[in-house]
Amino acid sequence: MATNARDAQLAAQKNQPLVDDIRLLGRILGDVLREQEGEAAFERVEKIRKLAVAYRLKRDASAGRDLDRLLARLSGERTVSVIRAFSYFSHLANIAEDRHHLRRRAVHDRQGHLQEGSLALALQRLARRGIEPKRIAATLNRAFISPVLTAHPTEVQRKSPRWACASAMPTRRCCALG
């Protein structure tokens, strides 16, 4: 059990810069929201965020009901404002995660560790199994390698605000988002 606690503590330490970045970006976004849309808009978004956290993380059914009621009472304009705020936060969190991955990769590189999923680690594993570089090269020469175009990673990391809007509001109001 001590190993699990130690592993959790180590993971928390490794992720602390990410947590710090997300908190900083959230505070900046809150400041911008206050400046651009007013204190009431900020308080509305904060209340929704707190209720959502209580419902989701603490399994507080009462918070879930309060959240449902609050969201159902929002006007179309306020709904768009809330969705926009959470959308911006999701994008900022994605940027923080991307930055954190680069930061962690640099740590691994400095320590000489190969990361899971890297080409270098795959080649190292093949070498350990005694597979000669000539055989690898011959296999790759016969392989059909083609790029696959997919959505940008930030578009798939979190559900889009358009999806959230579509599931929360009638289509006619959702189309106003563009």
Side-chain angles (χ1 to χ4, degrees):
M1 198 63 163
T3 302
N4 287 343
R6 204 169 332 135
D7 289 346
Q9 185 179 13
L10 183 58
Q13 286 175 330
K14 288 179 181 179
N15 288 324
Q16 191 59 50
L18 172 61
V19 170
D20 293 343
D21 286 349
I22 290 174
R23 284 186 180 147
L24 172 65
L25 293 169
R27 280 194 303 274
I28 292 169
L29 178 60
D31 292 344
V32 170
L33 184 59
R34 275 190 200 96
E35 178 186 307
Q36 297 297 313
E37 296 196 33
E39 188 66 30
F42 171 78
E43 290 299 329
R44 185 178 312 108
V45 168
E46 265 303 287
K47 183 169 185 164
I48 291 168
R49 183 189 67 77
K50 287 176 182 177
L51 287 170
V53 167
Y55 175 66
R56 176 125 183 179
L57 298 181
K58 299 176 184 173
R59 303 193 190 295
D60 181 344
S62 174
R65 288 187 299 275
D66 291 346
L67 179 61
D68 285 344
R69 279 192 296 274
L70 192 156
L71 292 174
R73 289 193 319 257
L74 289 177
S75 68
E77 183 179 321
R78 287 185 175 169
T79 299
V80 169
S81 173
V82 167
I83 290 171
R84 186 177 295 123
F86 282 101
S87 172
Y88 288 150
F89 179 77
S90 290
H91 286 297
L92 291 170
N94 286 340
I95 291 167
E97 287 172 353
D98 290 346
R99 184 172 184 262
H100 186 68
H101 288 299
L102 293 172
R103 189 170 34 228
R104 294 299 310 149
R105 183 175 296 136
V107 168
H108 284 283
D109 287 348
R110 282 193 302 273
Q111 294 174 346
H113 299 155
L114 299 178
Q115 286 190 292
E116 199 60 47
S118 70
L119 183 58
L121 183 58
L123 292 173
Q124 183 184 72
R125 286 177 177 163
L126 290 170
R128 281 190 197 144
R129 290 185 177 159
I131 300 172
E132 297 289 323
K134 286 182 182 180
R135 182 172 168 204
I136 296 168
T139 300
L140 290 174
N141 280 334
R142 290 189 312 272
F144 177 74
I145 300 172
S146 175
V148 176
L149 301 177
T150 63
H152 186 277
T154 59
E155 294 176 19
V156 296
Q157 287 173 336
R158 291 180 176 80
K159 291 187 178 186
S160 75
R162 180 107 173 123
W163 177 89
C165 178
S167 60
M169 298 187 317
T171 305
R172 63 180 173 75
R173 286 173 54 192
C174 213
C175 292
L177 291 178

